[in-house]
Amino acid sequence: MPASNVLQALLSHGKSPLKDSFIRWKLWRYWAEIVGPSVAANSAPIEIKRGCLMVWAKSSAQMQDLHFVADSIKLKVNKFLGSPLVRSIRFTLDEGRLPQNVTANFQLENHFSEITDNSED
Protein backbone atom coordinates (compact mmCIF):
# COMPACT_ATOMS: atom_id res chain seq x y z
CA MET A 1 0.00 0.00 0.00
CA PRO A 2 1.50 3.38 -0.99
CA ALA A 3 2.40 5.78 1.82
CA SER A 4 -0.05 8.38 0.44
CA ASN A 5 -2.94 5.93 0.95
CA VAL A 6 -1.85 5.23 4.51
CA LEU A 7 -1.59 8.96 5.25
CA GLN A 8 -5.01 9.66 3.72
CA ALA A 9 -6.57 6.84 5.74
CA LEU A 10 -5.03 8.18 8.95
CA LEU A 11 -6.20 11.73 8.22
CA SER A 12 -9.69 10.66 7.17
CA HIS A 13 -10.45 8.12 9.90
CA GLY A 14 -7.97 8.75 12.69
CA LYS A 15 -8.17 11.04 15.69
CA SER A 16 -5.61 13.46 14.28
CA PRO A 17 -6.26 17.18 14.85
CA LEU A 18 -5.74 17.48 11.08
CA LYS A 19 -8.72 15.22 10.32
CA ASP A 20 -11.31 18.03 10.03
CA SER A 21 -9.04 20.15 7.85
CA PHE A 22 -8.27 17.21 5.59
CA ILE A 23 -11.97 16.33 5.17
CA ARG A 24 -12.79 19.98 4.46
CA TRP A 25 -10.02 20.10 1.84
CA LYS A 26 -11.30 16.89 0.21
CA LEU A 27 -14.81 18.33 -0.01
CA TRP A 28 -13.55 21.60 -1.53
CA ARG A 29 -11.31 19.76 -3.97
CA TYR A 30 -13.88 17.24 -5.19
CA TRP A 31 -17.12 19.21 -4.68
CA ALA A 32 -18.08 19.22 -8.39
CA GLU A 33 -17.47 15.47 -8.64
CA ILE A 34 -19.45 14.81 -5.46
CA VAL A 35 -22.57 16.91 -6.11
CA GLY A 36 -22.41 17.42 -9.87
CA PRO A 37 -21.47 20.46 -11.94
CA SER A 38 -24.79 22.32 -11.72
CA VAL A 39 -24.95 22.22 -7.91
CA ALA A 40 -21.21 22.93 -7.62
CA ALA A 41 -21.49 25.99 -9.88
CA ASN A 42 -23.72 27.67 -7.28
CA SER A 43 -22.39 26.34 -3.97
CA ALA A 44 -19.32 25.38 -1.98
CA PRO A 45 -18.77 23.36 1.19
CA ILE A 46 -17.58 25.34 4.20
CA GLU A 47 -17.20 22.85 7.05
CA ILE A 48 -18.62 19.85 8.84
CA LYS A 49 -19.17 20.49 12.53
CA ARG A 50 -20.98 18.09 14.88
CA GLY A 51 -22.56 16.28 11.93
CA CYS A 52 -23.80 19.43 10.19
CA LEU A 53 -22.42 20.31 6.77
CA MET A 54 -22.39 24.06 6.18
CA VAL A 55 -22.74 24.93 2.50
CA TRP A 56 -22.39 28.37 0.93
CA ALA A 57 -24.96 29.30 -1.74
CA LYS A 58 -24.31 31.85 -4.48
CA SER A 59 -27.69 33.60 -4.05
CA SER A 60 -30.92 33.32 -2.12
CA ALA A 61 -32.60 31.74 -5.16
CA GLN A 62 -29.82 29.14 -5.35
CA MET A 63 -30.14 28.53 -1.62
CA GLN A 64 -33.81 27.76 -2.05
CA ASP A 65 -33.01 25.34 -4.88
CA LEU A 66 -30.35 23.66 -2.73
CA HIS A 67 -32.91 22.97 -0.01
CA PHE A 68 -34.74 20.72 -2.48
CA VAL A 69 -31.63 18.60 -3.08
CA ALA A 70 -30.21 18.68 0.46
CA ASP A 71 -30.96 15.00 1.12
CA SER A 72 -29.24 14.02 -2.13
CA ILE A 73 -26.20 16.17 -1.25
CA LYS A 74 -26.03 14.56 2.20
CA LEU A 75 -26.11 11.04 0.70
CA LYS A 76 -23.48 11.87 -1.92
CA VAL A 77 -21.11 13.49 0.60
CA ASN A 78 -21.43 10.58 3.03
CA LYS A 79 -20.83 8.10 0.21
CA PHE A 80 -17.75 10.06 -0.90
CA LEU A 81 -16.38 10.24 2.64
CA GLY A 82 -17.09 6.56 3.26
CA SER A 83 -18.96 7.17 6.51
CA PRO A 84 -22.12 8.94 7.70
CA LEU A 85 -20.38 12.09 8.97
CA VAL A 86 -23.12 14.40 7.66
CA ARG A 87 -26.45 14.18 9.47
CA SER A 88 -27.83 17.58 8.41
CA ILE A 89 -27.06 20.45 6.05
CA ARG A 90 -27.32 24.20 6.62
CA PHE A 91 -26.96 26.79 3.90
CA THR A 92 -25.51 30.29 4.14
CA LEU A 93 -24.97 33.29 1.88
CA ASP A 94 -22.00 34.48 3.96
CA GLU A 95 -19.02 34.58 1.57
CA GLY A 96 -16.72 35.42 4.47
CA ARG A 97 -16.81 31.78 5.55
CA LEU A 98 -15.43 30.54 2.24
CA PRO A 99 -11.76 29.77 1.74
CA GLN A 100 -10.01 32.49 -0.29
CA ASN A 101 -9.36 30.30 -3.33
CA VAL A 102 -13.05 29.35 -3.63
CA THR A 103 -14.11 33.00 -3.37
CA ALA A 104 -11.54 33.99 -6.00
CA ASN A 105 -12.77 31.28 -8.38
CA PHE A 106 -16.40 32.44 -8.10
CA GLN A 107 -15.39 36.09 -8.59
CA LEU A 108 -13.35 35.13 -11.66
CA GLU A 109 -16.26 33.12 -13.09
CA ASN A 110 -18.62 36.05 -12.53
CA HIS A 111 -16.18 38.44 -14.19
CA PHE A 112 -15.83 36.22 -17.27
CA SER A 113 -19.57 35.68 -17.57
CA GLU A 114 -20.11 39.47 -17.40
CA ILE A 115 -17.54 39.94 -20.17
CA THR A 116 -19.11 37.30 -22.39
CA ASP A 117 -22.61 38.59 -21.71
CA ASN A 118 -21.56 42.13 -22.68
CA SER A 119 -19.77 40.97 -25.83
CA GLU A 120 -23.00 39.46 -27.14
CA ASP A 121 -24.73 42.86 -27.18
Side-chain angles (χ1 to χ4, degrees):
M1 174 181 277
S4 63
N5 290 357
V6 172
L7 182 59
Q8 285 187 37
L10 285 171
L11 289 173
S12 293
H13 305 293
K15 294 186 187 243
S16 166
L18 299 174
K19 177 184 174 185
D20 292 340
S21 295
F22 181 70
I23 289 172
R24 186 173 33 231
W25 174 83
K26 279 179 63 174
L27 289 178
W28 290 330
R29 170 69 178 86
Y30 297 104
W31 188 243
E33 294 171 35
I34 296 167
V35 298
S38 61
V39 170
N42 300 301
S43 66
I46 295 173
E47 66 182 351
I48 299 176
K49 195 177 241 180
R50 292 187 289 276
C52 181
L53 172 63
M54 179 67 72
V55 175
W56 171 80
K58 200 173 194 176
S59 68
S60 56
Q62 296 299 332
M63 186 186 311
Q64 184 176 1
D65 290 345
L66 289 169
H67 278 285
F68 292 112
V69 294
D71 287 339
S72 174
I73 292 171
K74 181 173 69 170
L75 290 172
K76 290 176 181 181
V77 168
N78 284 336
K79 181 178 178 184
F80 174 78
L81 295 175
S83 63
L85 291 175
V86 177
R87 294 186 306 274
S88 64
I89 299 180
R90 290 186 54 210
F91 299 101
T92 182
L93 296 172
D94 183 4
E95 282 187 27
R97 303 201 48 197
L98 286 172
Q100 290 292 45
N101 62 337
V102 174
T103 304
N105 286 346
F106 276 108
Q107 289 170 347
L108 193 59
E109 287 174 19
N110 289 339
H111 178 70
F112 282 123
S113 55
E114 287 174 11
I115 291 172
T116 57
D117 290 345
N118 290 337
S119 67
E120 293 174 2
D121 293 337

